[in-house]
Amino acid sequence: MMKNARIFAGIVIITLAYILFLNPYSISVGGMTGLAVALNRSFHIPYTPMLIVFNIALFIAGIKVKGWAYTVRSFLAMLFVGIFLDLPYPSFTPAFSKTTCMIVGSACSGIGYGLVISTDTSTGGSDQLALIIHKRLPSLSTGTIMTIFDGVVVLFDWTLGGSLLFSVIAVLLCNGAIDLIGMLFNRKVAPDWLNKSMNWYKRMSPQLRYAMGIFIVCEITIVMILRETLIA
């Protein structure tokens, strides 16, 4: 029961992340869902049929690698994501800036995907592919595998009018959140990139940490001011 509740919660969070934050600014977080979003935006093709077509081969592979129970759960999760995205939603103007929507939307989508993946389920697409590859290559985290695959999708989305820079950052934030959620629920060791970053950070002096924090805040502030100035 708890596993099903976690899957459903993840699906709802994924849907809200796309509808409320990512889609209004044409920001992609990759994956087959991101590919479907790009095609829907450009050609108005419904999500559900696209997701089914895109994931047939991956679900067949999932039967051989993960078994029928996993494949049925994943197919249903993918189906519900498509159905929820296809529901008629009222048009609205986002209440937040593009930067804020990118950060919140990518983090929320990562949390949603992470909740689904933490139950040994997927929503098809890059997380399905990542779970299959991760089973063969445990040293590669699901987030790392998804980042590589999602980069290709983001480039394709850019050719259809998507926001390349924001989408690249969104993919990194989304997949980082997936790794962190996986660590939280499955109690796994942190991925190599996170261990190295934390060890490097711990070796820094308190003064250098403070200076780095101030530098990052100043850089973000400058970028935001320049962006708002250019838009105005």
Side-chain angles (χ1 to χ4, degrees):
M1 180 63 70
M2 288 301 297
K3 177 182 287 189
N4 293 336
R6 202 189 307 173
I7 293 172
F8 184 77
I11 292 171
V12 171
I13 293 173
I14 292 168
T15 304
L16 292 176
Y18 274 105
I19 298 299
L20 297 179
F21 302 106
L22 300 175
N23 286 1
Y25 286 112
S26 300
I27 299 173
S28 173
V29 292
M32 292 300 184
T33 305
L35 179 59
V37 168
L39 293 173
N40 175 270
R41 184 178 65 241
S42 299
F43 305 108
H44 307 291
I45 305 172
Y47 291 103
T48 306
M50 283 193 290
L51 290 174
I52 293 174
V53 171
F54 293 160
N55 287 292
I56 287 177
L58 291 176
F59 281 124
I60 293 174
I63 295 174
K64 297 179 180 179
V65 176
K66 303 284 286 184
W68 277 101
Y70 161 84
T71 304
V72 171
R73 286 199 311 272
S74 299
F75 178 81
L76 291 175
M78 178 272 297
L79 193 63
F80 275 107
V81 168
I83 291 173
F84 285 0
L85 288 174
D86 275 328
L87 291 175
Y89 297 97
S91 58
F92 65 96
T93 301
F96 304 103
S97 67
K98 186 174 183 177
T99 302
T100 301
C101 285
M102 180 270 293
I103 294 172
V104 176
S106 57
C108 287
S109 64
I111 292 171
Y113 284 119
L115 287 173
V116 175
I117 292 174
S118 69
T119 65
D120 194 29
T121 306
S122 86
T123 59
S126 56
D127 50 334
Q128 167 93 348
L129 180 64
L131 284 171
I132 294 172
I133 295 177
H134 179 68
K135 185 175 179 66
R136 300 292 180 87
L137 300 172
S139 60
L140 291 176
S141 70
T142 54
T144 300
I145 299 168
M146 290 174 69
T147 300
I148 297 172
F149 180 83
D150 293 343
V152 177
V153 175
V154 166
L155 288 175
F156 176 78
D157 178 71
W158 174 60
T159 65
L160 295 179
S163 180
L164 179 60
L165 178 59
F166 280 85
S167 294
V168 169
I169 299 173
V171 166
L172 296 176
L173 291 175
C174 175
N175 291 328
I178 289 171
D179 274 338
L180 293 176
I181 292 295
M183 290 162 50
L184 176 64
F185 281 97
N186 298 328
R187 303 181 183 275
K188 292 182 177 179
V189 178
D192 289 339
W193 65 268
L194 186 57
N195 282 326
K196 292 178 181 178
S197 299
M198 292 304 297
N199 290 334
W200 173 75
Y201 181 78
K202 289 176 182 178
R203 290 196 297 268
M204 296 170 60
S205 65
Q207 294 82 1
L208 188 56
R209 293 181 191 176
Y210 178 77
M212 185 178 72
I214 295 297
F215 175 78
I216 292 174
V217 171
C218 290
E219 287 294 310
I220 294 174
T221 303
I222 292 171
V223 170
M224 293 298 296
I225 292 174
L226 288 174
R227 176 180 172 276
E228 297 299 330
T229 301
L230 291 174
I231 290 176

